[in-house]
Amino acid sequence: MAGVSRTVLTTTQMFSRFVTNTSKNISCKRCFSVTRPVQGEKPLIGFIGLGNMGNHMARNLVSKGYPVLVYDVNTAAVDGLKQAGAKTASNPAEIAANTDRIVTMLPASKHVQEVYTGNNGIFSKVVKGTIMLDSSTIDPAVSQDMAKVAEGKGAFYLDAPVSGGVNAAKQALLTFMVGGPDSKFPEAQEILQNMGKNVVHCGAVGTGQAAKICNNMLLGISMIGTSETMNLGIKLGLDPKMLAKILNMSSGRCWSSDTYNPCPGVFENVPSSNNYDGGFGTALMTKDLGLANNAAKDTNSAVSLGQRAFEIYTKMTEKGYGGKDFSVIFKILEEMSGPEVEKKKKEFYDQ
């Protein structure tokens, strides 16, 4: 499920500068060999995008013994990976010039386009035969466009979005949904299995993104449903931990209830018990639900709940909750409840 470091700048501000902030006069020195490693030697992997998810993913590659070359606009994130044992690059082009295996984890379609096709982007220095694995959640059409550009340069772009959240990224338990040619999947799997427990080949380029946006549409819907259920149960006098226990041994069980419960105090080490900080941002969920709704329009698919979830998360983002974890919907519902619930609902959704 894709977050990026927010130490100083907002996500959009940081990544809009992803390429333009780097010097146009930087030359890509070949500090590393892009030849295939000898038997038993692990290859250098380039990693771009060290946010909430990418940071842990890159660290897992380092911990598994891979040499890793990283880049992010957030220098604090880069410094942290350097201390963990990674090498650092000045821009995406430098990474492309020095390795033939690259993983990217970026917030949205426009950031992927900039990092791959910008003046200091990957495609400006990509080496023939390079395999690029994009774990961002973006429009499937953008993935297909990137794959066409890569093909023209003799390289391979595969979409490989993830699901599982920050804790799964930290523990290397992610699920990867991969879209790309059959012939390149084993090579992709060899890299991705170091960061996750499930690596699934979905089909051609773009099908990984299709699977991901379907998954996240369901996730957004289920988080709203879980939050409404927990809020109602508490109002009826039920202990939240007891209610969660019942849900998780009954037919209402889902990931939002048994792993990522939105009610503070039900589980430790989830955003709801940390003032909804960290995790998967509301703004990113809004973006993913928008992708799902666009896809529904393009395919004439009926997604009534998906559309409503998109409207709710859009309003949450507009109200200033974009930087909070998407489970903050529980807090909003809790504050909305009470004697004037209908008035508060109208004020929240109509203003």
Side-chain angles (χ1 to χ4, degrees):
M1 286 176 182
V4 175
S5 305
R6 299 184 178 85
T7 302
V8 179
L9 301 173
T10 66
T11 298
T12 300
Q13 290 172 328
M14 287 196 297
F15 278 89
S16 68
R17 301 182 185 180
F18 216 110
V19 177
T20 55
N21 272 6
T22 57
S23 171
K24 295 182 179 180
N25 297 319
I26 290 175
S27 61
C28 297
K29 297 180 180 179
R30 285 184 175 273
C31 304
F32 309 95
S33 171
V34 293
T35 57
R36 294 287 177 179
V38 298
Q39 186 174 6
E41 182 179 295
K42 292 186 176 181
L44 174 69
I45 298 176
F47 202 106
I48 301 171
L50 305 174
N52 288 343
M53 298 289 288
N55 198 302
H56 295 303
M57 293 165 66
R59 287 176 182 273
N60 283 326
L61 288 172
V62 173
S63 69
K64 298 292 177 61
Y66 281 89
V68 181
L69 180 63
V70 301
Y71 176 71
D72 193 287
V73 293
N74 187 327
T75 56
V78 173
D79 289 343
L81 261 296
K82 183 177 180 180
Q83 292 175 11
K87 305 286 186 180
T88 64
S90 300
N91 56 31
E94 185 178 340
I95 287 182
N98 288 295
T99 179
D100 59 0
R101 294 167 177 83
I102 301 172
V103 179
T104 53
M105 184 53 141
L106 307 167
S109 295
K110 64 180 180 180
H111 306 121
V112 170
Q113 291 168 322
E114 189 174 9
V115 165
Y116 277 86
T117 66
N119 291 333
N120 285 317
I122 292 169
F123 287 143
S124 68
K125 294 290 182 179
V126 70
V127 177
K128 186 176 181 179
T130 294
I131 181 170
M132 295 159 283
L133 306 173
D134 182 31
S135 289
S136 317
T137 300
I138 61 174
D139 188 330
V142 173
S143 292
Q144 292 164 350
D145 289 343
M146 295 301 102
K148 289 177 183 176
V149 178
E151 183 179 7
K153 294 180 176 292
F156 303 90
Y157 171 102
L158 289 74
D159 55 312
V162 305
S163 180
V166 173
N167 285 339
K170 185 182 299 186
Q171 299 165 21
L173 297 175
L174 293 169
T175 292
F176 287 88
M177 293 154 269
V178 183
D182 293 344
S183 61
K184 303 308 293 184
F185 178 69
E187 191 174 345
Q189 186 177 35
E190 181 181 354
I191 297 170
L192 299 176
Q193 66 187 1
N194 294 282
M195 300 176 283
K197 66 174 182 177
N198 301 307
V199 183
V200 183
H201 189 206
C202 301
V205 173
T207 57
Q209 297 294 350
K212 175 60 187 291
I213 63 176
C214 287
N215 177 80
N216 275 25
M217 182 175 72
L218 177 58
L219 176 60
I221 293 169
S222 68
M223 181 56 76
I224 295 170
T226 299
S227 296
E228 290 185 346
T229 297
M230 293 297 299
N231 183 56
L232 174 61
I234 292 169
K235 297 299 182 185
L236 290 170
L238 296 172
D239 175 78
K241 289 187 177 181
M242 188 277 290
L243 175 57
K245 180 179 179 180
I246 295 297
L247 294 175
N248 295 333
M249 60 175 63
S250 304
S251 56
R253 179 181 181 180
C254 62
W255 188 84
S256 296
S257 69
D258 73 3
T259 302
Y260 212 77
N261 199 286
C263 180
V266 172
F267 295 139
E268 297 179 0
N269 302 318
V270 294
S272 62
S273 294
N274 186 38
N275 196 33
Y276 299 98
D277 291 329
F280 185 52
T282 294
L284 292 175
M285 173 55 82
T286 304
K287 180 260 298 183
D288 290 357
L289 288 168
L291 291 172
N293 275 265
N294 288 339
K297 291 177 183 177
D298 291 342
T299 58
N300 297 315
S301 301
V303 290
S304 299
L305 292 179
Q307 181 178 347
R308 184 56 179 155
F310 176 49
E311 292 168 353
I312 290 172
Y313 276 101
T314 297
K315 184 60 67 172
M316 289 167 61
T317 300
E318 292 173 351
K319 293 283 188 178
Y321 292 96
K324 291 293 187 178
D325 182 77
F326 79 113
S327 61
V328 74
I329 180 62
F330 173 84
K331 178 182 178 181
I332 294 170
L333 293 171
E334 184 180 43
E335 294 175 350
M336 196 181 291
S337 301
E340 297 184 327
V341 59
E342 292 304 321
K343 178 182 177 181
K344 291 179 180 178
K345 283 167 59 177
K346 184 175 178 59
E347 289 175 349
F348 185 86
Y349 292 120
D350 292 348
Q351 294 181 2

